[in-house]
Amino acid sequence: MLTQAITTGAFTDFAADVRSGLSLPDQKELPSKYLYDAIGSSLFETISLLPEYGVTRADERLLRRHAHEIVRRLSLPVNVAELGSGSGKKTRWILEALGRRQATSYYPIEISSAALAMCERELGDIDSISIVGFEREYLDGLLEVAARREPGESILVLFLGSTIGNFDRPSDTHFLAKVRRILDEGDALLLGTDLLKPLPQLIAAYDDPLGVTAAFNLNLLARINREVGADFDLRRFEHQARFNSETGSIEMHLRARATHDVNIPGADFVASFTEGETIWTESSHKYLVEEVALLANHAGFKCEAQWIDSEWPFAESLLIAN
Ligand code: AVI
């Protein structure tokens, strides 16, 4: 007879985070970083193609239009580190502009090995660019990049796509301050931030009629089933996108359609849900333009230049470490 051994006490980080997030007495939560397994990463790539979700296209338009000006403002020679490169598509413009002026090392830093592989395939053909990917948490990867710096070289950190908006406030400032401490004076950070826009446009971007964002969100429960052995019935949950006007953020939740229990043997835990209760899975802050410069100043950067997309309110800001 085959028996399944259930280990207790030696949980993976994921199992431990699932257990602690789903044990919270008031609002259950799961960290948004777990949305990005191989399926979640490719669903996010699909989201970025949706007509309702303008973030990625705005980011790419700004980089395509202003790559040469951005590169002109950098202190050369420079190496490029990207925090969360994703597929790397939008980074092409900066790397091509840089490659015309100097041989450049490009270090994508990703927790998703699938995204890293996609990025290496996408950008491997650019002249004068050598790619060394790091499958690490952002700050660990950046420390490795800084350790490889030769005398006289500067670093450009790319933090695009408004991923900074997925941090709570004030963790966004604390995170940028940690990035600043790894850098030297004069190094640069190119920061993409999605800006506040009318509510119907925001809700449609995070609750698209095709249901791709719903699948992206529900995949988190499917991932817990796959990796932690849980028995979530995905049909008993529905995707919700809400705007929290106090924090200025769009929140994604998974709402239980019925009162029921879910067994999570890999976390040695049973999660109980009542009808209507939600699991909060992500916040996406929508910045005011003036908020970005303040955020930069508090983290030890000066906002050197800013470009704003005319079709979808989104800002690209070039910050210099001071
Ligand atoms: C990765 N991040 C910037 C996306 C966002 O817009 O907050 C993640 C996302 N969540 C739902 N749609 C896209």
Side-chain angles (χ1 to χ4, degrees):
M1 190 178 87
L2 282 176
T3 53
Q4 195 188 353
I6 295 174
T7 46
T8 50
F11 304 142
T12 60
D13 287 352
F14 183 32
D17 288 346
V18 166
R19 184 179 166 131
S20 62
L22 297 186
S23 313
L24 292 170
D26 298 321
Q27 174 65 69
K28 292 182 169 61
E29 285 179 34
L30 290 169
S32 61
K33 66 178 178 181
Y34 294 119
L35 291 164
Y36 300 91
D37 65 346
I39 295 178
S41 298
S42 54
L43 285 168
F44 178 65
E45 286 302 313
T46 308
I47 289 173
S48 69
L49 302 174
L50 294 172
E52 294 81 10
Y53 187 81
V55 175
T56 314
R57 281 184 299 279
D59 199 11
E60 189 175 355
R61 262 193 305 276
L62 289 171
L63 294 170
R64 180 164 24 96
R65 287 187 189 148
H66 302 291
H68 287 282
E69 186 185 348
I70 293 168
V71 165
R72 227 180 306 120
R73 288 173 179 267
L74 300 174
S75 134
L76 301 184
V78 67
N79 292 320
V80 181
E82 179 160 17
L83 311 181
S85 59
S87 73
K89 267 185 211 141
K90 52 188 184 297
T91 311
R92 169 171 292 276
W93 310 105
I94 294 283
L95 294 180
E96 284 185 349
L98 261 174
R100 282 191 203 110
R101 305 189 55 168
Q102 55 154 62
T104 305
S105 298
Y106 167 58
Y107 304 102
I109 302 166
E110 261 295 342
I111 47 166
S112 157
S113 56
L116 207 52
M118 243 191 291
C119 168
E120 286 169 349
R121 274 197 306 275
E122 175 73 30
L123 300 173
D125 65 323
I126 306 177
D127 285 343
S128 311
I129 303 293
S130 60
I131 307 181
V132 180
F134 289 115
E135 193 180 332
R136 300 267 196 291
E137 297 278 346
Y138 296 152
L139 296 174
D140 294 339
L142 191 56
L143 278 167
E144 295 210 29
V145 172
R148 289 171 172 234
R149 182 205 292 263
E150 300 285 345
E153 286 177 349
S154 75
I155 295 178
L156 165 66
V157 178
L158 303 176
F159 198 25
L160 306 174
S162 203
T163 304
I164 188 69
N166 297 134
F167 287 74
D168 299 331
R169 320 271 78 59
S171 315
D172 54 351
T173 313
H174 297 159
F175 177 76
L176 292 188
K178 285 182 190 160
V179 168
R180 167 64 191 92
R181 284 198 285 277
I182 297 172
L183 298 178
D184 288 348
E185 199 178 322
D187 286 340
L189 167 63
L190 188 64
L191 182 69
T193 45
D194 199 25
L195 301 178
L196 192 62
K197 47 188 68 62
L199 192 56
Q201 199 181 2
L202 277 179
I203 296 292
Y206 289 84
D207 194 5
D208 62 276
L210 209 50
V212 184
T213 310
F216 173 65
N217 199 6
L218 283 162
N219 176 56
L220 185 46
L221 303 185
R223 180 176 184 184
I224 300 173
N225 287 349
R226 288 189 295 269
E227 296 182 25
V228 198
D231 62 0
F232 275 104
D233 177 353
L234 270 54
R235 289 182 184 80
R236 291 185 140 189
F237 288 86
E238 64 188 357
H239 166 70
Q240 269 193 348
R242 320 173 174 163
F243 186 68
N244 181 332
S245 53
E246 269 172 44
T247 59
S249 306
I250 280 274
E251 294 177 0
M252 292 206 308
H253 289 253
L254 290 163
R255 178 183 177 277
R257 293 179 196 267
T259 297
H260 67 292
D261 288 346
V262 175
N263 294 304
I264 313 180
D268 193 21
F269 177 62
V270 176
S272 299
F273 295 92
T274 51
E275 185 185 341
E277 125 166 77
T278 70
I279 311 171
W280 179 16
T281 53
E282 186 191 65
S283 280
S284 191
H285 184 63
K286 303 302 158 191
Y287 290 86
L288 302 170
V289 185
E290 55 277 17
E291 204 182 339
V292 181
L294 278 178
L295 168 71
N297 292 343
H298 286 142
F301 293 93
K302 124 171 128 29
C303 187
E304 167 84 10
Q306 202 167 51
W307 299 269
I308 296 176
D309 189 59
S310 49
E311 289 174 49
W312 177 275
F314 185 96
E316 212 73 78
S317 307
L318 183 64
L319 313 180
I320 304 294
N322 55 21

